Amino acid sequence: MNAQLTPAPAQGDLDAFWMPFTANRQFKANPRLLARAEGMYYWTADGREILDGVAGLWCVNAGHGRREITEAVTKQLGTMEYAPAFQMGHPIAFELANRLAKIAPPGLERIFFTNSGSESVDTALKIAIAYHRARGAGQRIRFIGREKGYHGVGFGGMSVGGMVNNRKVFGSSMLPGVDHLPHTLDVGNNAFSRGLPEWGAHLADALERLIALHDGSTIAAVIVEPIAGSAGVVLPPIGYLKRLREICDKHDILLIFDEVITGFGRVGKPFASQAFDVTPDLMTTAKGLTNGAIPMGAVFAHRKIYDAFMQGPENAIELFHGYTYSGHPVACAAALAALEVYTKEGLLTRAASLASEWENAVHSLRGLPHVIDVRNYGLIGAAELEPRAGKPGARGFEVFLECFERGVMVRQTGDTIAMSPPLIIESKQIARIVETLGTAIRETA
Ligand SMILES: Cc1ncc(COP(=O)(O)O)c(C=O)c1O
Protein backbone atom coordinates (compact mmCIF):
# COMPACT_ATOMS: atom_id res chain seq x y z
CA MET A 1 0.00 0.00 0.00
CA ASN A 2 1.40 3.41 -0.96
CA ALA A 3 0.49 5.44 2.08
CA GLN A 4 2.29 8.60 0.97
CA LEU A 5 1.16 10.86 -1.83
CA THR A 6 3.92 11.46 -4.38
CA PRO A 7 4.50 15.23 -4.62
CA ALA A 8 3.22 16.70 -7.87
CA PRO A 9 5.89 17.95 -10.29
CA ALA A 10 5.93 21.71 -10.88
CA GLN A 11 4.42 22.86 -14.18
CA GLY A 12 7.75 23.15 -16.09
CA ASP A 13 8.80 19.71 -14.89
CA LEU A 14 6.18 18.08 -17.09
CA ASP A 15 8.08 18.85 -20.29
CA ALA A 16 10.52 15.95 -20.49
CA PHE A 17 8.00 13.09 -20.43
CA TRP A 18 6.65 12.65 -23.98
CA MET A 19 3.34 11.11 -22.99
CA PRO A 20 1.88 8.20 -24.96
CA PHE A 21 -1.50 8.47 -26.70
CA THR A 22 -1.94 11.90 -25.08
CA ALA A 23 -2.55 15.47 -26.24
CA ASN A 24 0.68 16.52 -24.51
CA ARG A 25 0.20 20.30 -24.65
CA GLN A 26 -3.40 20.14 -23.54
CA PHE A 27 -2.56 17.77 -20.68
CA LYS A 28 0.47 19.72 -19.49
CA ALA A 29 -1.57 22.92 -19.39
CA ASN A 30 -4.12 21.21 -17.13
CA PRO A 31 -2.60 18.00 -15.73
CA ARG A 32 -4.50 15.17 -14.09
CA LEU A 33 -1.93 13.51 -11.88
CA LEU A 34 -2.62 10.28 -10.03
CA ALA A 35 -0.40 9.77 -7.01
CA ARG A 36 -1.74 6.88 -4.94
CA ALA A 37 -4.08 3.93 -5.32
CA GLU A 38 -5.85 1.40 -3.17
CA GLY A 39 -8.79 -0.93 -3.79
CA MET A 40 -11.29 0.75 -6.12
CA TYR A 41 -9.72 4.21 -5.78
CA TYR A 42 -6.97 6.51 -6.96
CA TRP A 43 -5.98 9.70 -5.19
CA THR A 44 -4.75 12.68 -7.17
CA ALA A 45 -1.54 14.50 -6.32
CA ASP A 46 -3.67 17.13 -4.59
CA GLY A 47 -5.43 14.48 -2.51
CA ARG A 48 -8.77 14.06 -4.33
CA GLU A 49 -10.34 10.57 -4.30
CA ILE A 50 -11.13 9.14 -7.76
CA LEU A 51 -13.25 6.02 -8.20
CA ASP A 52 -11.57 3.86 -10.83
CA GLY A 53 -14.11 2.95 -13.49
CA VAL A 54 -11.56 1.48 -15.92
CA ALA A 55 -9.24 -0.70 -13.79
CA GLY A 56 -6.39 1.67 -14.61
CA LEU A 57 -6.35 0.83 -18.31
CA TRP A 58 -8.32 -2.41 -18.27
CA CYS A 59 -5.61 -4.14 -16.25
CA VAL A 60 -6.05 -3.81 -12.48
CA ASN A 61 -8.67 -6.55 -12.26
CA ALA A 62 -8.22 -7.28 -8.53
CA GLY A 63 -8.15 -3.62 -7.54
CA HIS A 64 -5.19 -1.49 -6.52
CA GLY A 65 -2.45 -1.96 -3.96
CA ARG A 66 -2.86 -5.73 -3.50
CA ARG A 67 -0.61 -6.66 -0.60
CA GLU A 68 -0.17 -10.25 -1.86
CA ILE A 69 1.33 -9.02 -5.13
CA THR A 70 3.56 -6.45 -3.44
CA GLU A 71 4.90 -9.10 -1.10
CA ALA A 72 5.53 -11.63 -3.88
CA VAL A 73 7.37 -9.04 -5.97
CA THR A 74 9.43 -7.89 -2.99
CA LYS A 75 10.35 -11.46 -2.12
CA GLN A 76 11.35 -12.28 -5.70
CA LEU A 77 13.47 -9.11 -5.94
CA GLY A 78 15.28 -10.23 -2.82
CA THR A 79 15.80 -13.77 -4.16
CA MET A 80 16.70 -13.32 -7.82
CA GLU A 81 15.83 -10.09 -9.58
CA TYR A 82 16.69 -11.31 -13.06
CA ALA A 83 17.69 -14.44 -14.91
CA PRO A 84 17.78 -15.07 -18.65
CA ALA A 85 15.38 -17.43 -20.39
CA PHE A 86 17.54 -18.05 -23.50
CA GLN A 87 19.16 -21.48 -23.19
CA MET A 88 18.71 -21.13 -19.39
CA GLY A 89 15.67 -21.38 -17.17
CA HIS A 90 14.32 -20.42 -13.78
CA PRO A 91 11.65 -22.37 -11.94
CA ILE A 92 9.13 -19.58 -11.47
CA ALA A 93 8.62 -19.12 -15.24
CA PHE A 94 7.78 -22.83 -15.62
CA GLU A 95 5.52 -22.65 -12.57
CA LEU A 96 3.62 -19.72 -14.06
CA ALA A 97 3.29 -21.39 -17.48
CA ASN A 98 1.87 -24.52 -15.82
CA ARG A 99 -0.53 -22.42 -13.79
CA LEU A 100 -1.75 -20.56 -16.88
CA ALA A 101 -2.14 -23.80 -18.85
CA LYS A 102 -4.60 -24.95 -16.17
CA ILE A 103 -7.00 -22.06 -16.80
CA ALA A 104 -6.44 -21.91 -20.56
CA PRO A 105 -9.08 -22.69 -23.18
CA PRO A 106 -8.89 -26.35 -24.33
CA GLY A 107 -5.53 -27.22 -25.88
CA LEU A 108 -3.95 -23.75 -25.53
CA GLU A 109 -1.38 -25.10 -23.13
CA ARG A 110 1.92 -23.80 -24.45
CA ILE A 111 2.80 -20.37 -23.14
CA PHE A 112 5.28 -17.87 -24.64
CA PHE A 113 6.06 -14.89 -22.37
CA THR A 114 6.34 -11.29 -23.54
CA ASN A 115 6.28 -7.89 -21.83
CA SER A 116 3.12 -6.30 -23.22
CA GLY A 117 0.05 -6.75 -25.33
CA SER A 118 1.80 -5.34 -28.39
CA GLU A 119 4.62 -7.85 -28.04
CA SER A 120 2.12 -10.66 -27.53
CA VAL A 121 0.41 -9.75 -30.79
CA ASP A 122 3.62 -9.50 -32.82
CA THR A 123 4.77 -12.79 -31.27
CA ALA A 124 1.51 -14.53 -32.21
CA LEU A 125 1.72 -13.25 -35.80
CA LYS A 126 5.29 -14.51 -36.10
CA ILE A 127 4.37 -17.89 -34.60
CA ALA A 128 1.54 -18.20 -37.13
CA ILE A 129 3.86 -17.65 -40.09
CA ALA A 130 6.58 -19.91 -38.71
CA TYR A 131 4.02 -22.62 -37.89
CA HIS A 132 2.79 -22.83 -41.45
CA ARG A 133 6.35 -22.88 -42.74
CA ALA A 134 7.22 -25.68 -40.33
CA ARG A 135 4.36 -27.69 -41.87
CA GLY A 136 5.54 -27.03 -45.39
CA ALA A 137 3.05 -24.23 -46.09
CA GLY A 138 5.51 -21.34 -46.27
CA GLN A 139 3.28 -19.52 -48.77
CA ARG A 140 0.84 -18.68 -45.96
CA ILE A 141 2.07 -15.22 -45.12
CA ARG A 142 -1.04 -13.04 -45.21
CA PHE A 143 -3.04 -11.84 -42.22
CA ILE A 144 -6.63 -10.77 -41.93
CA GLY A 145 -7.43 -8.23 -39.20
CA ARG A 146 -10.59 -6.19 -38.76
CA GLU A 147 -11.66 -2.58 -39.04
CA LYS A 148 -11.69 -0.86 -35.62
CA GLY A 149 -9.39 -3.58 -34.26
CA TYR A 150 -6.65 -2.61 -31.83
CA HIS A 151 -3.71 -4.93 -31.49
CA GLY A 152 -1.11 -2.64 -29.96
CA VAL A 153 1.51 -0.50 -31.59
CA GLY A 154 4.19 -2.81 -32.98
CA PHE A 155 4.44 -2.88 -36.77
CA GLY A 156 2.59 -6.20 -36.89
CA GLY A 157 -0.18 -5.19 -34.51
CA MET A 158 -0.54 -1.81 -36.19
CA SER A 159 -0.86 -3.46 -39.61
CA VAL A 160 -3.60 -5.89 -38.59
CA GLY A 161 -5.26 -3.20 -36.46
CA GLY A 162 -8.04 -1.11 -37.88
CA MET A 163 -8.10 2.18 -35.97
CA VAL A 164 -7.43 4.82 -38.56
CA ASN A 165 -5.58 7.34 -36.37
CA ASN A 166 -3.13 4.66 -35.30
CA ARG A 167 -2.33 3.81 -38.92
CA LYS A 168 -2.55 6.84 -41.15
CA VAL A 169 0.85 8.42 -40.45
CA PHE A 170 2.61 5.08 -40.84
CA GLY A 171 0.88 3.93 -44.02
CA SER A 172 4.07 3.25 -45.95
CA SER A 173 5.46 1.02 -43.22
CA MET A 174 2.69 -1.53 -42.86
CA LEU A 175 3.23 -5.26 -43.18
CA PRO A 176 2.44 -6.31 -46.74
CA GLY A 177 -0.33 -8.79 -47.43
CA VAL A 178 -2.78 -7.67 -44.74
CA ASP A 179 -6.50 -7.22 -45.35
CA HIS A 180 -9.36 -6.38 -42.99
CA LEU A 181 -12.81 -7.71 -42.21
CA PRO A 182 -15.61 -5.19 -41.72
CA HIS A 183 -16.16 -4.20 -38.09
CA THR A 184 -19.29 -5.32 -36.29
CA LEU A 185 -20.50 -2.03 -34.81
CA ASP A 186 -23.91 -1.16 -36.24
CA VAL A 187 -25.81 1.39 -34.20
CA GLY A 188 -28.57 1.45 -36.84
CA ASN A 189 -29.48 -2.21 -36.29
CA ASN A 190 -28.22 -2.89 -32.78
CA ALA A 191 -28.51 0.30 -30.68
CA PHE A 192 -29.15 -0.38 -26.99
CA SER A 193 -28.77 -4.16 -27.33
CA ARG A 194 -28.40 -5.78 -23.94
CA GLY A 195 -25.38 -8.04 -24.09
CA LEU A 196 -24.40 -9.42 -27.48
CA PRO A 197 -26.28 -7.91 -30.42
CA GLU A 198 -28.56 -10.19 -32.40
CA TRP A 199 -27.93 -8.66 -35.81
CA GLY A 200 -24.69 -9.19 -37.68
CA ALA A 201 -23.44 -12.81 -37.53
CA HIS A 202 -23.37 -12.73 -41.33
CA LEU A 203 -20.59 -10.11 -41.19
CA ALA A 204 -18.24 -13.06 -40.60
CA ASP A 205 -19.01 -14.25 -44.13
CA ALA A 206 -16.89 -11.38 -45.43
CA LEU A 207 -13.99 -13.66 -44.54
CA GLU A 208 -15.05 -16.04 -47.32
CA ARG A 209 -14.86 -13.14 -49.76
CA LEU A 210 -11.37 -12.16 -48.62
CA ILE A 211 -10.33 -15.79 -48.91
CA ALA A 212 -11.70 -15.91 -52.45
CA LEU A 213 -9.89 -12.67 -53.27
CA HIS A 214 -6.48 -13.59 -51.87
CA ASP A 215 -6.65 -17.39 -52.16
CA GLY A 216 -7.05 -19.09 -48.79
CA SER A 217 -3.81 -21.00 -49.17
CA THR A 218 -1.85 -17.72 -48.81
CA ILE A 219 -3.46 -16.71 -45.49
CA ALA A 220 -1.66 -17.53 -42.24
CA ALA A 221 -4.13 -16.24 -39.67
CA VAL A 222 -7.16 -14.16 -38.84
CA ILE A 223 -6.80 -11.98 -35.75
CA VAL A 224 -9.70 -10.37 -33.88
CA GLU A 225 -10.51 -9.19 -30.39
CA PRO A 226 -13.50 -11.22 -29.13
CA ILE A 227 -14.69 -7.88 -27.75
CA ALA A 228 -12.87 -4.80 -29.02
CA GLY A 229 -12.18 -2.33 -26.22
CA SER A 230 -9.99 0.44 -27.57
CA ALA A 231 -12.31 1.31 -30.45
CA GLY A 232 -15.04 2.03 -27.91
CA VAL A 233 -16.41 -1.42 -26.99
CA VAL A 234 -17.45 -3.31 -30.11
CA LEU A 235 -19.28 -6.56 -29.38
CA PRO A 236 -19.45 -9.69 -31.53
CA PRO A 237 -22.98 -10.38 -32.81
CA ILE A 238 -24.41 -13.70 -31.58
CA GLY A 239 -22.91 -16.51 -33.67
CA TYR A 240 -20.27 -14.30 -35.34
CA LEU A 241 -17.18 -15.74 -33.67
CA LYS A 242 -18.34 -19.33 -34.24
CA ARG A 243 -18.76 -18.53 -37.91
CA LEU A 244 -15.23 -17.10 -38.09
CA ARG A 245 -13.95 -20.28 -36.45
CA GLU A 246 -15.77 -22.49 -38.98
CA ILE A 247 -14.44 -20.57 -41.96
CA CYS A 248 -10.88 -20.63 -40.62
CA ASP A 249 -11.15 -24.39 -40.08
CA LYS A 250 -12.45 -24.94 -43.56
CA HIS A 251 -9.44 -23.18 -45.07
CA ASP A 252 -6.77 -24.30 -42.61
CA ILE A 253 -6.25 -20.73 -41.40
CA LEU A 254 -5.24 -20.07 -37.80
CA LEU A 255 -7.59 -18.02 -35.64
CA ILE A 256 -5.98 -15.66 -33.14
CA PHE A 257 -8.03 -14.11 -30.35
CA ASP A 258 -6.49 -10.98 -28.90
CA GLU A 259 -7.63 -11.23 -25.27
CA VAL A 260 -5.43 -8.46 -23.89
CA ILE A 261 -8.46 -6.77 -22.34
CA THR A 262 -10.95 -9.63 -22.18
CA GLY A 263 -8.56 -12.04 -20.43
CA PHE A 264 -8.47 -12.76 -16.71
CA GLY A 265 -12.11 -12.49 -15.75
CA ARG A 266 -13.38 -9.38 -17.51
CA VAL A 267 -16.31 -11.20 -19.14
CA GLY A 268 -17.19 -13.66 -16.38
CA LYS A 269 -14.92 -16.55 -17.40
CA PRO A 270 -11.12 -16.59 -17.33
CA PHE A 271 -11.13 -15.81 -21.07
CA ALA A 272 -13.75 -14.58 -23.54
CA SER A 273 -13.09 -17.63 -25.67
CA GLN A 274 -14.59 -19.72 -22.86
CA ALA A 275 -17.51 -17.33 -22.40
CA PHE A 276 -18.32 -17.53 -26.13
CA ASP A 277 -17.40 -21.20 -26.46
CA VAL A 278 -15.10 -20.61 -29.41
CA THR A 279 -11.51 -21.81 -29.11
CA PRO A 280 -8.83 -20.00 -31.10
CA ASP A 281 -5.46 -21.50 -32.08
CA LEU A 282 -3.47 -18.69 -30.48
CA MET A 283 -4.49 -16.26 -27.77
CA THR A 284 -2.69 -13.06 -26.84
CA THR A 285 -2.83 -11.68 -23.30
CA ALA A 286 -1.16 -9.07 -21.04
CA LYS A 287 -2.70 -6.46 -18.69
CA GLY A 288 -4.64 -8.50 -16.08
CA LEU A 289 -1.97 -11.20 -16.15
CA THR A 290 -0.12 -9.37 -13.36
CA ASN A 291 -3.02 -7.17 -12.25
CA GLY A 292 -1.11 -4.41 -14.02
CA ALA A 293 1.57 -4.44 -11.31
CA ILE A 294 4.52 -5.41 -13.52
CA PRO A 295 4.54 -5.30 -17.33
CA MET A 296 4.04 -8.78 -18.76
CA GLY A 297 2.28 -10.54 -21.60
CA ALA A 298 1.72 -14.14 -22.63
CA VAL A 299 0.80 -15.88 -25.86
CA PHE A 300 -1.17 -19.09 -25.39
CA ALA A 301 -0.52 -21.51 -28.26
CA HIS A 302 -2.38 -24.70 -29.05
CA ARG A 303 -0.33 -27.83 -28.44
CA LYS A 304 -0.56 -28.73 -32.14
CA ILE A 305 1.28 -25.50 -32.96
CA TYR A 306 4.03 -26.08 -30.42
CA ASP A 307 4.36 -29.71 -31.54
CA ALA A 308 4.77 -28.65 -35.17
CA PHE A 309 7.91 -26.75 -34.14
CA MET A 310 9.37 -29.70 -32.19
CA GLN A 311 10.32 -31.72 -35.26
CA GLY A 312 13.87 -30.81 -36.36
CA PRO A 313 17.19 -31.71 -34.77
CA GLU A 314 16.93 -31.54 -30.99
CA ASN A 315 19.88 -29.19 -30.62
CA ALA A 316 18.35 -26.60 -32.98
CA ILE A 317 16.50 -23.54 -31.69
CA GLU A 318 12.94 -24.04 -32.91
CA LEU A 319 11.74 -20.42 -32.89
CA PHE A 320 14.16 -17.54 -33.39
CA HIS A 321 12.15 -15.13 -31.28
CA GLY A 322 12.12 -13.93 -27.67
CA TYR A 323 12.74 -10.99 -25.36
CA THR A 324 15.43 -10.33 -22.77
CA TYR A 325 12.60 -10.13 -20.28
CA SER A 326 10.51 -13.10 -21.49
CA GLY A 327 9.42 -14.80 -18.27
CA HIS A 328 11.09 -12.13 -16.11
CA PRO A 329 11.16 -13.62 -12.59
CA VAL A 330 9.68 -10.55 -10.91
CA ALA A 331 6.86 -10.37 -13.45
CA CYS A 332 6.26 -14.11 -12.97
CA ALA A 333 6.04 -13.57 -9.20
CA ALA A 334 3.50 -10.78 -9.73
CA ALA A 335 1.46 -12.95 -12.11
CA LEU A 336 1.44 -15.96 -9.79
CA ALA A 337 0.32 -13.77 -6.89
CA ALA A 338 -2.33 -12.10 -9.05
CA LEU A 339 -3.67 -15.51 -10.14
CA GLU A 340 -3.76 -16.58 -6.52
CA VAL A 341 -5.81 -13.51 -5.60
CA TYR A 342 -8.12 -14.01 -8.60
CA THR A 343 -8.69 -17.64 -7.63
CA LYS A 344 -9.17 -17.07 -3.90
CA GLU A 345 -11.63 -14.26 -4.44
CA GLY A 346 -13.44 -15.87 -7.38
CA LEU A 347 -12.57 -12.93 -9.61
CA LEU A 348 -12.17 -14.96 -12.80
CA THR A 349 -15.93 -15.55 -12.75
CA ARG A 350 -17.27 -12.74 -10.55
CA ALA A 351 -18.16 -10.55 -13.55
CA ALA A 352 -20.78 -13.15 -14.53
CA SER A 353 -22.66 -12.68 -11.24
CA LEU A 354 -22.51 -8.88 -11.52
CA ALA A 355 -23.32 -8.76 -15.23
CA SER A 356 -27.06 -8.23 -14.98
CA GLU A 357 -26.79 -5.53 -12.30
CA TRP A 358 -24.11 -3.86 -14.40
CA GLU A 359 -26.24 -4.16 -17.54
CA ASN A 360 -29.25 -2.55 -15.84
CA ALA A 361 -27.06 0.23 -14.46
CA VAL A 362 -25.39 1.16 -17.74
CA HIS A 363 -28.65 0.92 -19.70
CA SER A 364 -30.17 3.48 -17.32
CA LEU A 365 -28.16 5.98 -19.41
CA ARG A 366 -30.54 5.39 -22.32
CA GLY A 367 -32.68 8.45 -22.91
CA LEU A 368 -30.10 10.97 -21.67
CA PRO A 369 -29.24 13.79 -24.08
CA HIS A 370 -27.00 12.78 -27.01
CA VAL A 371 -26.80 9.10 -25.96
CA ILE A 372 -27.19 7.14 -29.21
CA ASP A 373 -26.17 3.69 -27.95
CA VAL A 374 -25.35 1.78 -24.78
CA ARG A 375 -23.40 -1.48 -24.97
CA ASN A 376 -22.42 -4.01 -22.31
CA TYR A 377 -21.03 -7.47 -21.69
CA GLY A 378 -19.56 -8.96 -18.51
CA LEU A 379 -18.08 -5.99 -16.62
CA ILE A 380 -17.64 -3.91 -19.75
CA GLY A 381 -19.91 -1.02 -20.60
CA ALA A 382 -20.02 1.87 -23.04
CA ALA A 383 -22.19 4.85 -23.81
CA GLU A 384 -21.89 6.29 -27.28
CA LEU A 385 -22.68 9.98 -27.70
CA GLU A 386 -23.69 11.77 -30.83
CA PRO A 387 -20.65 13.69 -32.10
CA ARG A 388 -20.90 17.48 -32.28
CA ALA A 389 -21.14 18.67 -35.87
CA GLY A 390 -17.62 19.08 -37.26
CA LYS A 391 -16.01 18.26 -33.90
CA PRO A 392 -15.78 14.51 -33.45
CA GLY A 393 -14.56 13.51 -30.00
CA ALA A 394 -15.13 16.94 -28.39
CA ARG A 395 -18.28 15.94 -26.53
CA GLY A 396 -16.73 12.66 -25.39
CA PHE A 397 -13.66 14.43 -24.04
CA GLU A 398 -15.74 16.95 -22.11
CA VAL A 399 -17.81 14.19 -20.55
CA PHE A 400 -14.63 12.35 -19.58
CA LEU A 401 -13.25 15.55 -17.95
CA GLU A 402 -16.53 16.23 -16.15
CA CYS A 403 -16.51 12.69 -14.72
CA PHE A 404 -12.94 13.17 -13.52
CA GLU A 405 -13.85 16.49 -11.87
CA ARG A 406 -16.67 14.63 -10.14
CA GLY A 407 -14.33 11.93 -8.89
CA VAL A 408 -14.84 9.08 -11.37
CA MET A 409 -12.34 7.84 -13.95
CA VAL A 410 -13.80 6.55 -17.22
CA ARG A 411 -12.15 6.08 -20.61
CA GLN A 412 -12.93 8.13 -23.69
CA THR A 413 -12.44 7.02 -27.29
CA GLY A 414 -13.85 9.62 -29.66
CA ASP A 415 -17.41 10.12 -28.50
CA THR A 416 -17.67 6.80 -26.73
CA ILE A 417 -17.24 6.53 -22.98
CA ALA A 418 -16.05 3.09 -21.91
CA MET A 419 -16.15 1.53 -18.45
CA SER A 420 -14.32 -1.58 -17.25
CA PRO A 421 -13.99 -1.35 -13.47
CA PRO A 422 -11.87 -3.61 -11.26
CA LEU A 423 -13.68 -6.93 -10.80
CA ILE A 424 -13.91 -6.34 -7.03
CA ILE A 425 -16.47 -3.57 -7.58
CA GLU A 426 -19.46 -3.37 -5.22
CA SER A 427 -23.04 -2.32 -6.00
CA LYS A 428 -22.74 1.17 -4.57
CA GLN A 429 -19.67 1.80 -6.71
CA ILE A 430 -21.46 0.58 -9.84
CA ALA A 431 -24.23 3.02 -9.02
CA ARG A 432 -21.79 5.87 -8.42
CA ILE A 433 -19.93 5.37 -11.70
CA VAL A 434 -23.12 5.32 -13.73
CA GLU A 435 -24.78 8.19 -11.83
CA THR A 436 -21.69 10.35 -12.24
CA LEU A 437 -21.49 9.57 -15.94
CA GLY A 438 -25.19 10.36 -16.28
CA THR A 439 -24.70 13.72 -14.55
CA ALA A 440 -21.67 14.49 -16.71
CA ILE A 441 -23.65 13.70 -19.86
CA ARG A 442 -26.51 15.95 -18.72
CA GLU A 443 -24.09 18.78 -17.85
CA THR A 444 -22.34 18.63 -21.23
CA ALA A 445 -24.03 20.46 -24.07
C1 LIG B 1 -6.80 -5.91 -27.59
C2 LIG B 1 -5.49 -5.26 -27.30
N1 LIG B 1 -4.38 -5.75 -27.85
C3 LIG B 1 -3.17 -5.21 -27.61
C4 LIG B 1 -3.04 -4.13 -26.79
C5 LIG B 1 -1.68 -3.54 -26.57
O1 LIG B 1 -1.25 -3.79 -25.30
P1 LIG B 1 0.00 -2.97 -24.72
O2 LIG B 1 -0.44 -1.56 -24.56
O3 LIG B 1 0.30 -3.67 -23.42
O4 LIG B 1 1.11 -3.12 -25.70
C6 LIG B 1 -4.18 -3.58 -26.19
C7 LIG B 1 -4.07 -2.42 -25.29
O5 LIG B 1 -5.02 -1.81 -24.90
C8 LIG B 1 -5.43 -4.15 -26.46
O6 LIG B 1 -6.56 -3.65 -25.94
Side-chain angles (χ1 to χ4, degrees), residues 65-371:
R66 296 306 306 239
R67 185 185 43 77
E68 301 88 332
I69 301 175
T70 310
E71 284 174 4
V73 164
T74 310
K75 187 166 162 232
Q76 185 58 46
L77 278 169
T79 311
M80 184 172 72
E81 84 296 356
Y82 175 75
F86 299 178
Q87 305 287 38
M88 297 292 302
H90 41 278
I92 194 169
F94 292 94
E95 188 185 342
L96 176 59
N98 287 329
R99 186 85 173 67
L100 290 170
K102 289 205 172 75
I103 59 166
L108 270 68
E109 291 156 3
R110 299 292 178 260
I111 320 289
F112 197 104
F113 289 119
T114 72
N115 305 290
S116 67
S118 300
E119 288 182 359
S120 291
V121 167
D122 282 12
T123 298
L125 298 177
K126 287 177 74 175
I127 289 177
I129 285 187
Y131 163 73
H132 287 299
R133 191 181 156 103
R135 301 160 59 229
Q139 82 287 355
R140 287 189 181 264
I141 51 166
R142 292 185 195 275
F143 294 112
I144 307 293
R146 191 169 56 183
E147 298 166 345
K148 289 190 184 290
Y150 182 62
H151 301 292
V153 292
F155 281 98
M158 176 178 71
S159 304
V160 292
M163 290 178 70
V164 177
N165 281 336
N166 295 350
R167 298 168 52 89
K168 63 184 177 196
V169 174
F170 311 105
S172 56
S173 313
M174 297 287 171
L175 285 188
V178 175
D179 210 336
H180 291 77
L181 289 162
H183 66 75
T184 64
L185 181 62
D186 192 311
V187 174
N189 280 296
N190 288 328
F192 303 104
S193 293
R194 287 175 168 252
L196 299 191
E198 288 190 5
W199 182 93
H202 66 279
L203 294 169
D205 295 338
L207 181 54
E208 287 281 18
R209 293 182 55 179
L210 292 179
I211 287 168
L213 178 67
H214 296 297
D215 178 13
S217 74
T218 67
I219 300 173
V222 170
I223 179 167
V224 293
E225 301 151 276
I227 296 176
S230 302
V233 179
V234 182
L235 300 169
I238 294 167
Y240 171 90
L241 293 172
K242 276 206 160 76
R243 186 84 190 102
L244 279 188
R245 176 71 273 182
E246 285 162 11
I247 299 171
C248 286
D249 284 346
K250 192 166 124 196
H251 297 275
D252 213 7
I253 295 169
L254 295 178
L255 178 61
I256 307 173
F257 276 178
D258 185 348
E259 294 233 23
V260 166
I261 61 153
T262 48
F264 303 102
R266 175 62 49 202
V267 297
K269 289 267 171 120
F271 300 100
S273 122
Q274 294 151 333
F276 298 141
D277 197 21
V278 179
T279 305
D281 303 293
L282 290 156
M283 180 174 80
T284 53
T285 67
K287 296 203 188 243
L289 172 56
T290 63
N291 203 41
I294 303 277
M296 186 180 216
V299 178
F300 292 61
H302 196 282
R303 289 173 78 123
K304 74 174 182 201
I305 293 179
Y306 178 84
D307 291 347
F309 283 87
M310 302 301 137
Q311 303 296 334
E314 290 197 2
N315 64 341
I317 292 172
E318 297 99 357
L319 178 64
F320 280 87
H321 178 75
Y323 303 97
T324 300
Y325 300 129
S326 284
H328 191 288
V330 180
C332 289
L336 279 168
L339 287 170
E340 189 63 25
V341 172
Y342 294 158
T343 307
K344 256 197 200 149
E345 299 182 7
L347 297 180
L348 295 178
T349 50
R350 187 164 187 267
S353 55
L354 288 175
S356 92
E357 180 182 353
W358 175 254
E359 177 174 292
N360 288 334
V362 294
H363 279 271
S364 71
L365 298 166
R366 183 175 188 170
L368 293 186
H370 315 298
V371 174

